[in-house]
Amino acid sequence: MGQIYMDHAATTAVRREVAEAMKPFFTSKFGNSSSVYDLGREARRGLDQARDKIFKLLGAERAEEIIFTSGGSEANNLAIKGVAWAYANKGKHIITSSIEHPAVLDTANWLTQFGFELTVLPVDEYGLVDSQKVASALRPDTILVSIMHANNEIGTIQPISEIGKIVRQHGALFHTDAVQTAGSLDLDVDELNVDLLSISAHKFYGPKGVGALYVRRGVRLEPLIHGGAQEKRRRAGTENVAGIVGMATALELAQTERKVESARLTKLRDKLIKGLQIIPDTKVNGDLENRLSNNVNVCFKYIEGESLLLNLDLKGIAASSGSACTSGSLDPSHVLLAMGLSHEIAHGSLRLTLGRENTEADVDYLLEVVPEIVERLRAMSPLYQ
Amino acid sequence: MYSDKVMDHFTNPRNVGEIADADGVGEVGNSRCGDIMKIWIKVENDVITDIKFKTFGCGAAIATSSVITELAIGKTLTEAEEITNQAVASALEGLPPLKMHCSNLAADALKSAIEDYRKNTATTAS
């Protein structure tokens, strides 16, 4: 039995072209990009070319506006803590939303023990942040607003450009976590009105362990990692040249194929949603219009997510759930709860995120298998009458 | 993550269902934390002669419910009451640490069914 991978929001497989582009930097071009001799310069050229590709793909102005990191979590930490420490004398108020990834939410929360104040904005039943609520939350001492571009669980795309305009007019800095959108939406930092933007390579068929933070020219950042002059002293440590080259190659490929692939995935997504909706007592989570082309998120009432995932795994399907058991805490998904879902319903969520390898045959197989599993689990559930 | 024994009980749960004329019914857990177990028992001469369960919950919750029905059937009420959550976990060749507390409620559900039976018989007698 083959494996059907439908968890692309978790991670993706490195593309063959990407792996090929990375290879020389592990072996023949292994130099430290800070070294003066030829081997070092060779690595430096690879690094510079990758940085050039990425800043242009993001619509940035200069190469120096890109800081390479170990991934999306570090990029988010650097954006939030870096700005907070650098601007603490200007103000100590930060605004974010209730559906952010923990790399943003926990980081912002952590800062409150040092005298920073945090406003966490609610979302509506579709997981959308209201730009007017952002406007009313802004204060004279607000230094930073961080709202994610699209949510990793429900795929809802936020009105980032609109929010950014409001925030920047007010004079605060605006960060967006674009980890879920890089490679699938057109990212242009000027159109999005952002000062800082995080991406992570392994979400768009690049390697794990590498990401980037875009920082608009003129924005000050206190580094998190000290000990070297790399990345203009904003992030010490020998650059992961192979990973960075892989990320640039992956982003370029994704951007080139974006429109065609997105149209293909949208079709598959809509077929999946339509097919799953036929199951009685099923709720589709998120916004159907402003939604990532690869995201399906549904709740099946009366059943629990982990037992659903175990059954799917037995059928060769890899998926994910916002149930407490899979979140590693006693509470189910903070995103679904923020949208107003009850604990009981949120426990029964299923997230399917499509990607390059998925075909219509995969979707058909899923639609054949899921109803049986849901029925079997409901027959066992004391909540189902 | 789960032992073969857990997966066996999860994929082929024993004694799923309800007993229409049960002598005792017990329910534990709550939907907030994601686990609810309900157990029905039939009792003759102080011995559990039939037992059925329904569970809303994760793999561990379903497997522990299933295995306790096997442990309890044919036992006297006193013997059945002595089954601990730890014994249930051992019968399943262990549970992941995270599941020991939140999803290992089957012994509590059985005790609650036995209490219910005792309450029912006490009222019938008086």
Side-chain angles (χ1 to χ4, degrees):
Chain A
M1 182 175 56
Q3 181 84 14
I4 296 180
Y5 185 74
M6 286 205 186
D7 203 13
H8 291 81
T11 195
T12 57
V14 173
R15 288 179 71 150
R16 190 182 43 76
E17 306 95 306
V18 172
E20 285 304 319
M22 291 171 71
K23 256 188 204 162
F25 293 93
F26 289 116
T27 50
S28 55
K29 303 183 182 181
F30 67 90
N32 185 319
S33 62
S34 300
S35 301
V36 291
Y37 42 79
D38 189 49
L39 260 177
R41 291 198 304 273
E42 211 171 21
R44 167 66 56 184
R45 271 194 297 279
L47 185 65
D48 288 347
Q49 282 169 9
R51 200 187 303 272
D52 277 353
K53 269 185 197 167
I54 290 174
F55 98 79
K56 284 174 189 157
L57 285 167
L58 296 181
E61 212 180 309
R62 307 160 159 252
E64 299 83 69
E65 292 176 317
I66 303 301
I67 301 177
F68 293 120
T69 68
S70 64
S73 291
E74 189 193 329
N76 285 334
N77 269 265
L78 180 57
I80 292 165
K81 292 178 196 162
V83 164
W85 296 129
Y87 290 84
N89 57 352
K90 187 181 170 242
K92 286 194 143 184
H93 182 229
I94 296 168
I95 299 171
T96 188
S97 85
S98 55
I99 57 155
E100 298 299 313
H101 189 276
V104 166
L105 215 43
D106 291 356
T107 304
N109 254 316
W110 179 82
L111 282 169
T112 59
Q113 66 186 305
F114 303 103
F116 288 92
E117 278 182 72
L118 183 63
T119 300
V120 181
L121 296 172
V123 293
D124 69 10
E125 59 182 303
Y126 304 106
L128 272 168
V129 175
D130 180 352
S131 56
Q132 284 317 304
K133 289 216 165 94
V134 178
S136 358
L138 284 163
R139 309 191 320 211
D141 62 338
T142 304
I143 49 172
L144 177 70
V145 177
S146 179
I147 307 286
M148 72 200 318
H149 194 188
N151 183 268
N152 49 310
E153 292 186 32
I154 50 168
T156 300
I157 302 167
Q158 304 297 340
I160 290 304
S161 176
E162 198 180 309
I163 296 171
K165 204 172 158 193
I166 295 168
V167 173
R168 296 179 71 208
Q169 263 171 6
H170 183 84
L173 295 172
F174 186 44
H175 167 248
T176 194
D177 169 1
V179 164
Q180 289 297 328
T181 53
S184 67
L185 293 182
D186 188 27
L187 295 187
D188 182 304
V189 292
D190 286 337
E191 274 175 33
L192 289 171
N193 285 316
V194 295
D195 298 299
L196 303 113
L197 178 143
S198 310
I199 64 171
S200 174
H202 77 100
K203 306 289 189 182
F204 48 85
Y205 308 98
K208 291 169 185 66
V210 61
L213 178 67
Y214 158 79
V215 186
R216 192 175 287 277
R217 192 182 168 206
V219 173
R220 287 178 290 124
L221 272 190
E222 200 59 51
L224 300 184
I225 299 174
H226 302 86
Q230 292 91 353
E231 305 299 297
K232 307 273 174 210
R233 304 205 82 87
R234 294 168 300 182
R235 204 279 188 184
T238 300
E239 295 90 346
N240 170 8
V241 179
I244 290 165
V245 167
M247 173 162 65
T249 311
L251 190 60
E252 193 174 38
L253 284 166
Q255 203 67 15
T256 317
E257 299 165 5
R258 192 175 61 80
K259 282 197 176 131
V260 177
E261 180 63 357
S262 172
R264 189 184 78 87
L265 291 178
T266 303
K267 257 193 185 161
L268 296 183
R269 175 198 72 185
D270 292 347
K271 185 172 183 181
L272 251 180
I273 292 179
K274 232 175 157 180
L276 293 174
Q277 269 179 315
I278 296 173
I279 301 172
D281 296 317
T282 298
K283 181 184 184 318
V284 179
N285 300 311
D287 191 300
L288 286 176
E289 292 295 315
N290 305 303
R291 189 186 197 96
L292 287 176
S293 57
N294 74 339
N295 176 287
V296 176
N297 190 312
V298 293
C299 283
F300 302 110
K301 286 183 196 167
Y302 319 118
I303 65 172
E304 192 276 338
E306 192 210 74
S307 47
L308 179 61
L309 293 188
L310 285 172
N311 274 300
L312 285 171
D313 183 38
L314 292 169
K315 298 276 186 188
I317 299 162
S320 108
S321 166
S323 87
C325 287
T326 54
S327 75
S329 72
L330 283 177
D331 281 324
S333 151
H334 71 288
V335 175
L336 298 178
L337 295 181
M339 290 158 66
L341 267 71
S342 70
H343 275 74
E344 180 184 319
I345 291 172
H347 280 297
S349 77
L350 172 68
R351 180 187 74 176
L352 302 163
T353 42
L354 301 161
R356 293 183 70 228
E357 321 83 47
N358 294 135
T359 62
E360 189 161 2
D362 294 346
V363 169
D364 291 339
Y365 177 65
L366 218 96
L367 291 176
E368 187 189 309
V369 163
V370 175
E372 297 169 5
I373 296 175
V374 171
E375 198 178 320
R376 206 174 85 82
L377 288 171
R378 279 183 178 164
M380 251 189 251
S381 170
L383 301 173
Y384 186 62
Q385 298 305 326
Chain B
M1 177 171 102
Y2 286 132
S3 69
D4 290 347
K5 197 98 190 205
V6 171
M7 287 310 289
D8 173 37
H9 277 271
F10 172 71
T11 45
N12 304 297
R14 311 349 176 216
N15 304 307
V16 176
E18 302 179 12
I19 301 174
D21 57 344
D23 297 316
V25 185
E27 185 176 324
V28 293
N30 66 66
S31 57
R32 195 182 157 86
C33 65
D35 287 304
I36 299 176
M37 289 179 195
K38 205 166 171 183
I39 287 183
W40 289 260
I41 52 170
K42 262 320 247 185
V43 180
E44 271 169 49
N45 300 324
D46 253 22
V47 171
I48 296 176
T49 55
D50 196 9
I51 178 164
K52 291 263 193 291
F53 83 91
K54 278 194 169 182
T55 291
F56 163 82
C58 63
I62 289 170
T64 52
S65 318
S66 166
V67 83
I68 206 164
T69 62
E70 285 196 330
L71 293 175
I73 201 154
K75 288 221 163 64
T76 64
L77 294 177
T78 322
E79 286 166 344
E81 270 178 317
E82 279 166 12
I83 301 171
T84 59
N85 286 327
Q86 190 56 51
V88 171
S90 303
L92 288 168
E93 287 162 8
L95 285 173
L98 259 175
K99 304 284 184 184
M100 282 306 284
H101 296 292
C102 63
S103 310
N104 193 8
L105 304 166
D108 302 338
L110 177 62
K111 277 191 192 83
S112 147
I114 294 171
E115 266 169 40
D116 183 57
Y117 163 76
R118 292 216 162 107
K119 216 172 64 197
N120 293 342
T121 45
T123 33
T124 335
S126 65

